[in-house]
Amino acid sequence: MNTIRQIAAVLLGIIFLATLFAGAFAPAPYAKQFRESPNASPSRMHLLGTDELGRDLFSRLLYGSRVSLLLAPAAALLATSIAALVGGLAGYAGGWLERIAMAGTDLSMSLPWLFLLLTVRAVLPLNVPPAASLLITFALLGLFGWAASARVICAGARSLRNSDFVLQAKACGCPSLRVLARHVLPNLRPALFAQLLISIPVFILTEANLGILGLGVSEPLPSWGGLLRGLENWGAVQANPWRLAPLLLLLIVVSCFQLILPREDFAA
Amino acid sequence: MRRLTLALIAASILLSGVLPAKSQSGGELHFVLRAEPKTFDPMLVDEEASETIRFLTGGVLIRVNRKTQALEPELAASWKVSQRGKKISFHLRDGLSFSDGTPFSAEDVAFTMRKLLDPNLHSPTGDSFRSSEGSVRVAAPSARDVIIEFPAPVAGLERLFDQVAIVSSRSPKKETAVLGPFTVAEYKSGAYVLLKRNPYYWKKDAHGQRLPYLDSIRLDIQQNRDLELLRFKRGEIQLINNLDASYFENLAKEEPAAVHDIGPSLDAEHMWFNQVPAAPIPDFKKKWFRSANFRLAVSEAISREDLCRVVFSGHARPAVGPVSPANLFWFNRSLQPHPHAPQEALRRLQQDGFRFDGHVLRDGEGHAVEFSIVTNAGNKSREQMAAMIQQDLEQIGIRLNIVTLDFPSLIERISRTFDYELCLLGFVNVDLDPNGQMNVWLSSSSNHQWNPEQKSPATPWEAEIDRLMQAQASTPDQNQRKRSFDQVQKIVWDQQPFIYLVNKNALAAISPALANTSPVVLRPQTFWNVESLYYSNQGRGVGQ
């Protein structure tokens, strides 16, 4: 099991590094349209061929992966931090605070977030550069994606609230904040780490879904969501099977994230 | 005499190639309705699915021949427009019956017109006849004559009757008694509409065989276009109208004989700058957008040829203006699409005080030229066009931000808040007559998108368009109308309030099993001559 986790981690590391230094590997600028050769087959010049507008698919895949792989973890970190704050406090405090926080979490989970994301995107100013729109998209994902994690963290904090070592610390006169910071949060770390890792592929897929709806990262910036839109026309995919490369990479990355999850810690 | 005999033999050979033998008629045609028909009442039709049913079942006095675009007599043997378009007199064919056997007479036409023009009915078809206040007088002086008098001239009056399906005044079956080739036999909500042959249909072929040849038509209600294509490939349906370019290419590889590129359609893709004075955008941008030179420069910086070739796989033509070349009579043939000329675009911009430093274009006050283009999310071809326009404008130093919005949000911005800068959308044109575009060109109209509902025209050229549109609408003289509308097209070409990009080609798929097909640009592309369609012996459809 450990070996599989190590292989997954190494694979993820290689993909991260390749996308981080995309400029060094990309044969062409990701936005450049080679209009004379749209939908071109793989060649020396275009390793994965070109898309419908003649843009080099390999370059777009590298840059698109960078976008998704850097910003999805950032959004996951934001969501997990909010979840830790809400869930940790609610679980540790218990009583009416826990009831209110969990009611808020339930409400948040019951909302149709996809439509809310569309609405928020619609009311944003129009003259937003692609890079800013990218940041906004992932920030929204982070801000809206904390609820499920908060429930898990709350349950963990609740079980710790009545544990022997916490009771002993309280009996020794340890202030509540110190108990929370020194005894509860460190014991929640495995659950927080697991939630962080779970959220990353979830956000990657959500961005991909938004991209398929045409509402993700704006042109000409590539993202996995945008690249996956190339698969809409199955006839074109059958004719150009290398179009499946973004899907394959997405599957590898999501699988790797799932494989490196610290399951034992999480179960504990 | 010998020559005459030879000619008769030749004609019969020719006809035998076109007309089916008795054994070839029959069978069931299958195709798809992409939405549920909202009504079967021909007077209340306002969407495509119901219009399809009306076309297949309704009998009209005058029909626009979808191929020649000329008017042809149908239930009316002849007609005459008089009093400068205020009065129309019909002389009806004799001996016709509705699908239930009820005889057809002038009373039915009078009944239909009175009902259609009743303001309480709110008939979209009736609305197109209302040119001014006042009542319409309908009289049936004999069983075969009808006279209709309007309070004011109605431009293109005869053409409007192409949409008026005559209903019976006496039949107990009311609007289900029809005069068209088929009649509605069965309808299962969300599933299908089954049409059966009208046994009393009046048209006959050259052999004297009563039309239509087909026994029935089954219209499956199905929105998914991928499934539609799949079913066509399986032979479960025989017709597809309005194919997308990507589906067309896909099908062309497998069944080249089934696909038809009919040429430019009436539809256009276009974009426009927001010129609303109260729009919440900076004043310096409003100044850019109101400049004809600026709009022309943007227009000339765009490569329409590339849009056609790359986005539509060559199944589109660079657009000239509001009228497609497919509109044979009304298109102004003296105009050409604006050429791709970035240098000329820069020269125009310099005339307006803009400076290009090789990377960024700046206006006279030093503002970098940057604006956003909005279009509806999920429309792949528009998103691709926007990406190509983005690269084209970059060549002249303009930075374009692309924003895709869900349709309700987009409509909210372009018609209520006016919080947008440039919008890319399309026109779906179904009407050949310029009167159908009145609500776009009149400056007081809510569909005058770049600056709607003006109290008085904001610019002299808009005032001139108003005048010309009113002039063409108030005369029955087609040539005079054409001259006026040609001038409108020229002004729009010069001023570019709408920057027309491409006219998509009309693409269709027809099963080779069907004979006598002749797809056209106008709706309903593939089955406009439905009464003459039949299955050839070589490949009878699944419905046989």
Side-chain angles (χ1 to χ4, degrees):
Chain A
M1 190 64 186
N2 255 350
T3 318
I4 293 176
R5 280 178 65 184
Q6 281 168 2
I7 292 171
V10 169
L11 205 54
L12 263 184
I14 292 171
I15 294 171
F16 258 110
L17 282 174
T19 58
L20 209 57
F21 299 103
F25 300 112
Y30 63 79
K32 186 169 170 57
Q33 296 166 2
F34 297 91
R35 293 185 181 177
E36 296 310 314
S37 48
N39 292 314
S41 304
S43 63
R44 247 189 220 175
M45 194 179 166
H46 305 293
L47 292 177
L48 286 174
T50 59
D51 68 4
E52 290 102 330
L53 300 183
R55 296 176 296 196
D56 184 77
L57 263 179
F58 183 66
S59 307
R60 289 185 71 74
L61 187 60
L62 282 176
Y63 281 100
S65 303
R66 176 158 80 178
V67 163
S68 298
L69 286 176
L70 289 181
L71 289 177
L77 191 65
L78 177 64
T80 312
S81 304
I82 298 171
L85 189 72
V86 176
L89 272 177
Y92 179 66
W96 62 269
L97 185 63
E98 185 183 357
R99 282 200 296 277
I100 290 175
M102 286 305 101
T105 308
D106 289 344
L107 180 70
S108 170
M109 287 174 76
S110 66
L111 291 174
W113 285 115
L114 188 63
F115 293 105
L116 285 178
L117 277 171
L118 301 187
T119 309
V120 173
R121 186 70 188 82
V123 296
L124 285 172
L126 296 181
N127 257 319
V128 179
S133 105
L134 179 73
L135 287 172
I136 290 167
T137 303
F138 278 97
L140 286 174
L141 292 180
L143 284 172
F144 291 156
W146 55 271
S149 300
R151 286 200 71 85
V152 177
I153 307 294
C154 179
R158 194 189 305 122
S159 68
L160 290 173
R161 185 175 67 203
N162 298 320
S163 63
D164 292 345
F165 62 92
V166 169
L167 287 176
Q168 193 178 357
K170 280 182 178 171
C172 292
C174 210
S176 291
L177 274 178
R178 186 178 165 82
V179 175
L180 188 67
R182 295 296 297 271
H183 299 288
V184 177
L185 280 180
N187 281 291
L188 283 175
R189 205 161 47 202
L192 286 171
F193 188 53
Q195 289 306 310
L196 175 74
L197 289 179
I198 288 170
S199 303
I200 293 171
V202 169
F203 289 150
I204 288 174
L205 291 174
T206 309
E207 189 280 320
N209 287 337
L210 284 176
I212 286 170
L213 290 173
L215 290 153
V217 176
S218 64
E219 289 276 5
L221 261 183
S223 74
W224 280 352
L227 293 169
L228 288 173
R229 289 196 73 192
L231 306 183
E232 280 176 347
N233 185 347
W234 183 241
V237 176
Q238 279 179 311
N240 314 301
W242 50 90
R243 288 272 180 87
L244 291 168
L247 181 66
L248 195 67
L249 193 59
L250 178 69
L251 282 176
I252 291 171
V253 168
V254 172
S255 306
C256 286
F257 273 119
Q258 293 294 334
L259 287 172
I260 60 169
L261 279 180
R263 290 180 193 284
E264 297 85 358
D265 292 346
F266 182 55
Chain B
M1 187 64 194
R2 197 178 157 193
R3 266 190 194 170
L4 182 65
T5 313
L6 281 173
L8 284 172
I9 291 168
S12 65
I13 290 169
L14 203 67
L15 284 172
S16 65
V18 175
L19 300 172
K22 187 90 178 168
S23 61
Q24 283 175 295
S25 61
E28 185 168 281
L29 177 68
H30 288 191
F31 61 98
V32 157
L33 287 178
R34 291 175 188 148
E36 187 90 26
K38 285 185 189 166
T39 180
F40 289 126
D41 185 339
M43 297 190 194
L44 299 178
V45 167
D46 70 345
E47 34 68 55
E48 197 179 342
S50 302
E51 199 179 327
T52 298
I53 309 284
R54 181 174 70 184
F55 187 87
L56 294 168
T57 60
V60 295
L61 297 170
I62 302 169
R63 182 62 92 194
V64 175
N65 182 311
R66 278 8 186 212
K67 193 160 194 147
T68 62
Q69 300 182 7
L71 296 175
E72 289 178 351
E74 285 270 310
L75 302 175
S78 62
W79 69 89
K80 189 181 171 196
V81 177
S82 55
Q83 295 179 14
R84 291 183 57 81
K86 278 172 70 176
K87 182 177 170 185
I88 186 163
S89 312
F90 292 103
H91 184 63
L92 308 180
R93 289 181 197 273
D94 194 19
L96 310 189
S97 295
F98 285 88
S99 54
D100 64 344
T102 312
F104 164 67
S105 73
E107 261 316 305
D108 299 311
V109 177
F111 170 77
T112 303
M113 288 309 295
R114 285 188 194 115
K115 198 174 164 193
L116 187 78
L117 294 166
D118 179 355
N120 295 322
L121 185 71
H122 303 293
S123 163
T125 311
D127 286 346
S128 50
F129 285 94
R130 272 185 266 280
S131 58
S132 68
E133 295 293 317
S135 57
V136 180
R137 285 194 300 166
V138 184
S142 77
R144 290 181 62 195
D145 291 290
V146 182
I147 298 166
I148 308 169
E149 284 182 80
F150 295 88
V154 180
L157 177 59
E158 316 96 292
R159 284 186 174 265
L160 299 179
F161 285 91
D162 178 76
Q163 306 290 315
V164 181
I166 304 300
V167 294
S168 172
S169 59
R170 284 171 292 170
S171 168
K173 292 192 170 180
K174 296 189 176 170
E175 62 261 13
T176 55
V178 295
L179 288 158
F182 293 91
T183 175
V184 177
E186 199 180 332
Y187 165 55
K188 194 167 179 190
S189 176
Y192 64 89
V193 182
L194 183 65
L195 308 179
K196 292 277 185 195
R197 183 174 187 273
N198 173 4
Y200 293 95
Y201 188 54
W202 60 277
K203 278 190 191 172
K204 292 178 179 170
D205 69 12
H207 292 317
Q209 183 178 342
R210 194 181 285 273
L211 297 174
Y213 295 128
L214 296 164
D215 283 337
S216 56
I217 301 176
R218 185 184 157 108
L219 305 164
D220 290 322
I221 298 161
Q222 186 178 291
Q223 289 181 358
N224 189 311
R225 304 205 69 176
D226 289 313
L227 272 180
E228 189 181 4
L229 190 70
L230 194 66
R231 293 188 65 195
F232 183 86
K233 286 180 184 174
R234 284 187 195 145
E236 291 173 10
I237 58 173
Q238 288 81 46
L239 302 174
I240 305 182
N241 278 348
N242 300 319
L243 265 176
D244 286 340
S246 59
Y247 288 131
F248 181 93
E249 288 295 310
N250 179 318
L251 196 56
K253 281 178 193 151
E254 293 179 32
E255 298 183 43
V259 291
H260 301 264
D261 182 339
I262 312 156
S265 69
L266 297 179
D267 303 344
E269 296 290 313
H270 68 287
M271 59 185 202
W272 71 92
F273 284 103
N274 182 357
Q275 297 184 51
V276 176
I281 50 177
D283 286 341
F284 63 87
K285 287 193 178 181
K286 285 181 189 168
K287 197 174 152 193
W288 303 344
F289 301 159
R290 282 186 205 144
S291 157
N293 252 349
F294 182 83
R295 297 192 297 269
L296 273 164
V298 168
S299 179
E300 286 173 345
I302 295 168
S303 170
R304 290 170 174 78
E305 293 286 350
D306 281 356
L307 292 179
C308 295
R309 189 172 48 77
V310 177
V311 178
F312 297 98
S313 309
H315 301 295
R317 299 283 182 280
V320 179
V323 182
S324 158
N327 192 338
L328 301 176
F329 181 74
W330 293 103
F331 176 61
N332 184 343
R333 293 187 189 283
S334 69
L335 303 176
Q336 294 295 319
H338 282 282
H340 178 218
Q343 290 309 316
E344 177 64 14
L346 280 172
R347 194 191 59 75
R348 280 184 194 281
L349 289 165
Q350 279 160 3
Q351 283 176 358
D352 269 16
F354 288 87
R355 301 185 314 276
F356 180 51
D357 63 9
H359 297 287
V360 179
L361 183 74
R362 294 184 186 279
D363 68 8
E365 296 163 22
H367 298 110
V369 180
E370 177 181 359
F371 47 83
S372 61
I373 183 168
V374 290
T375 190
N376 56 316
N379 188 314
K380 203 169 173 186
S381 56
R382 287 200 188 123
E383 289 171 22
Q384 289 178 344
M385 280 199 288
M388 293 188 72
I389 292 166
Q390 186 180 48
Q391 184 160 305
D392 283 341
L393 295 189
E394 205 181 312
Q395 308 288 316
I396 58 167
I398 294 177
R399 185 168 166 177
L400 183 68
N401 297 314
I402 299 171
V403 183
T404 54
L405 295 173
D406 59 294
F407 214 75
S409 304
L410 179 67
I411 297 298
E412 171 84 359
R413 282 185 186 260
I414 63 172
S415 59
R416 211 182 67 79
T417 64
F418 304 114
D419 186 6
Y420 73 100
E421 291 170 342
L422 175 63
C423 179
L424 170 62
L425 276 181
F427 264 141
V428 175
N429 236 333
V430 289
D431 199 349
L432 292 171
D433 195 280
N435 273 353
Q437 299 186 21
M438 273 305 240
N439 59 349
V440 172
W441 298 114
L442 290 184
S443 59
S444 56
S445 163
S446 57
N447 286 331
H448 190 72
Q449 290 295 355
W450 68 89
N451 186 7
E453 294 178 349
Q454 298 172 33
K455 288 195 172 71
S456 59
T459 58
W461 58 268
E462 281 173 286
E464 181 63 3
I465 288 179
D466 280 2
R467 189 189 68 76
L468 290 164
M469 286 306 288
Q470 302 281 14
Q472 69 80 27
S474 56
T475 173
D477 181 340
Q478 289 294 86
N479 292 326
Q480 202 177 325
R481 292 185 68 206
K482 169 90 167 96
R483 280 194 293 277
S484 295
F485 196 57
D486 276 354
Q487 285 182 61
V488 171
Q489 292 176 67
K490 177 72 169 69
I491 293 170
V492 172
W493 191 88
D494 286 335
Q495 297 292 332
Q496 296 282 290
F498 286 133
I499 298 174
Y500 288 91
L501 300 168
V502 300
N503 290 120
K504 290 189 284 185
N505 283 8
L507 306 174
I510 303 174
S511 164
L514 268 183
N516 225 8
T517 56
S518 177
V520 293
V521 164
L522 300 188
R523 288 183 185 183
Q525 277 180 350
T526 52
F527 56 90
W528 65 277
N529 58 340
V530 67
E531 66 266 34
S532 307
L533 299 183
Y534 63 93
Y535 283 105
S536 62
N537 272 342
Q538 288 77 19
R540 293 174 77 82
V542 287
Q544 299 292 286

